[in-house]
Amino acid sequence: MRAKRIVRGIVTTLVGAGLLLGGQALAQEKLRIPVAQTNSTTSLVEQVAIHKGFFKDIGYDARVYSVSGGENAAVLALERGQLPFFGSDDNIALAIRPGSNIRIVGTELNTLPYWLVGGKHVKSYKDLPRPVKVGISSPTSGNVYVSLKLLQTAGIPEKDVRLIKVGGSSARLAGVKAGKIDVGSLTFGKMLAARDAGLTVLGAAEQFVKEYAFLQLAMNKNFIKDNPDKAVALMGTLIRGCAFVNDPKNGEEVLNVYQNVMRNKPHIAKKMYEIEILEAKSIPNRCQATAAGIEAYIESAFWTKSIAKDTKIPPMEQIMFQEFYDKALAWYNNKGWMKK
């Protein structure tokens, strides 16, 4: 039922007058952008682009909304053409299917930003019960990979693990606090909140993977074909958002978005910016995807069995749409925004 409600919401809200790339301004087109969490770095590029008016510059009145736990429904909406684009770690699994309408056009996070957290009674892996109840968002998500991999590294095999779908990082944090699940892999901000609450951080994805196409930026290929100017402007605007976030001179404004727009506590917002953006450089400078990052995702999906063993992986050029990305990057560069 939740998935159906999300799809209905996506369909009914993607309406508007049309995008104008120059000339006289018309009524702005409404654009609701699905994100996993509205207060996580996974939505930072979109939040900054909205706050700075970047979408308005191309004719969109944009807003974000959370699909935490319902990312699969949003990916299906993207496949059906009910969404122009979506950033998620669930996109590649559908994009590699024969005849898919989804193309990977970039990456908004090229690291795997998860930390495995246990309840207050858990001080080490040895304290975990059997089976270990692991909270997840969806079977194809990177949080499943991180949880299983860290547990296996600690000597806990998959047969001793029970996966429980509870939703995004916020729901997993709540589940660990309430004792409904034993562990859950959390994004950086939620991990900091977990530590503040006295929970135990057991491990991190960075222990076994460095480059990983986590937030896969995907577009519907028919949307690109039927609306080439709109598609290029949207992708170019996301590139603008990535570039703005990564420019150190914008640090104060990015921190303001983390804290006052995305509603993170000041000390958590500061650490998210300093560690995820400045130190880890989690967001690619121009939202560019890499073959290595995509291959790392596919390898993890085989490992977790969220992609079947006998799945034939298409050539990388069929998964990615480099020609389109290059057009969007040229659009961005031609605007001269890189100098502003």
Side-chain angles (χ1 to χ4, degrees):
M1 288 299 294
R2 173 176 169 77
K4 290 181 180 178
R5 286 198 301 271
I6 290 172
V7 171
R8 282 201 300 268
I10 290 167
V11 174
T12 57
T13 54
L14 284 172
V15 296
L19 174 67
L20 201 65
L21 299 178
Q24 300 299 314
L26 298 176
Q28 296 221 314
E29 184 172 353
K30 301 289 185 184
L31 177 66
R32 292 190 72 210
I33 303 172
V35 297
Q37 297 177 70
T38 57
N39 61 352
S40 166
T41 298
T42 55
S43 68
L44 180 63
V45 171
E46 287 87 349
Q47 297 269 33
V48 164
I50 291 170
H51 180 70
K52 293 294 295 179
F54 296 167
F55 284 107
K56 286 186 177 180
D57 287 345
I58 61 168
Y60 280 110
D61 177 15
R63 298 287 186 274
V64 297
Y65 69 103
S66 175
V67 290
S68 178
E71 291 90 341
N72 283 342
V75 176
L76 288 173
L78 178 66
E79 169 71 29
R80 295 166 184 159
Q82 298 159 342
L83 278 176
F85 72 90
F86 181 39
S88 171
D89 61 341
D90 292 288
N91 284 323
I92 290 175
L94 192 55
I96 63 175
R97 294 181 184 178
S100 174
N101 291 319
I102 293 177
R103 292 293 178 269
I104 305 303
V105 296
T107 310
E108 291 178 291
L109 277 177
N110 205 31
T111 59
L112 190 50
Y114 279 126
W115 285 257
L116 188 66
V117 172
K120 289 184 179 180
H121 64 287
V122 176
K123 300 305 177 186
S124 72
Y125 290 104
K126 293 178 181 178
D127 298 325
L128 292 171
R130 301 293 189 277
V132 182
K133 291 182 288 185
V134 179
I136 66 168
S137 58
S138 70
T140 56
S141 174
N143 63 78
V144 180
Y145 176 48
V146 174
S147 299
L148 292 179
K149 188 79 169 180
L150 288 172
L151 289 170
Q152 187 181 83
T153 301
I156 301 173
E158 192 174 343
K159 67 180 180 65
D160 289 338
V161 171
R162 180 184 169 201
L163 300 180
I164 301 174
K165 187 174 180 180
V166 296
S169 274
S170 295
R172 295 196 293 277
L173 174 55
V176 171
K177 281 182 176 179
K180 294 181 179 179
I181 54 176
D182 299 309
V183 295
S185 286
L186 309 182
T187 51
F188 185 70
K190 296 304 177 188
M191 179 272 288
L192 294 177
R195 283 202 317 201
D196 285 351
L199 303 182
T200 302
V201 179
L202 295 169
E206 63 184 16
Q207 294 173 217
F208 57 87
V209 64
K210 300 299 180 186
E211 187 174 2
Y212 187 95
F214 176 68
L215 201 60
Q216 308 141 15
L217 187 55
M219 275 194 170
N220 180 281
K221 72 174 186 179
N222 293 324
F223 176 82
I224 294 173
K225 178 182 176 182
D226 297 339
N227 307 277
D229 291 339
K230 280 187 178 185
V232 165
L234 279 170
M235 184 62 201
T237 296
L238 292 167
I239 291 173
R240 187 182 180 188
C242 283
F244 186 91
V245 165
N246 280 295
D247 190 336
K249 75 173 185 282
N250 301 323
E252 190 174 329
E253 289 186 84
V254 175
L255 187 57
N256 174 61
V257 172
Y258 263 130
Q259 182 176 323
N260 298 314
V261 177
M262 297 166 66
R263 304 298 180 189
N264 288 290
K265 293 180 180 178
H267 73 287
I268 289 180
K270 186 172 185 291
K271 287 182 179 178
M272 291 170 77
Y273 177 66
E274 290 176 349
I275 295 177
E276 291 196 282
I277 305 304
L278 296 182
E279 184 179 320
K281 302 187 184 305
S282 297
I283 295 178
N285 198 40
R286 296 293 188 271
C287 292
Q288 62 270 33
T290 67
I294 291 175
E295 287 166 358
Y297 169 86
I298 292 172
E299 181 183 344
S300 76
F302 276 126
W303 192 86
T304 59
K305 302 182 182 66
S306 56
I307 293 179
K309 241 181 205 179
D310 58 352
T311 300
K312 292 183 178 179
I313 305 299
M316 192 60 63
E317 58 268 22
Q318 291 182 26
I319 301 174
M320 300 171 68
F321 200 166
Q322 188 64 41
E323 180 183 352
F324 171 75
Y325 173 83
D326 291 342
K327 287 179 181 178
L329 181 61
W331 180 92
Y332 163 77
N333 288 334
N334 289 338
K335 293 292 183 181
W337 281 319
M338 63 188 299
K339 300 174 184 177
K340 295 181 180 178

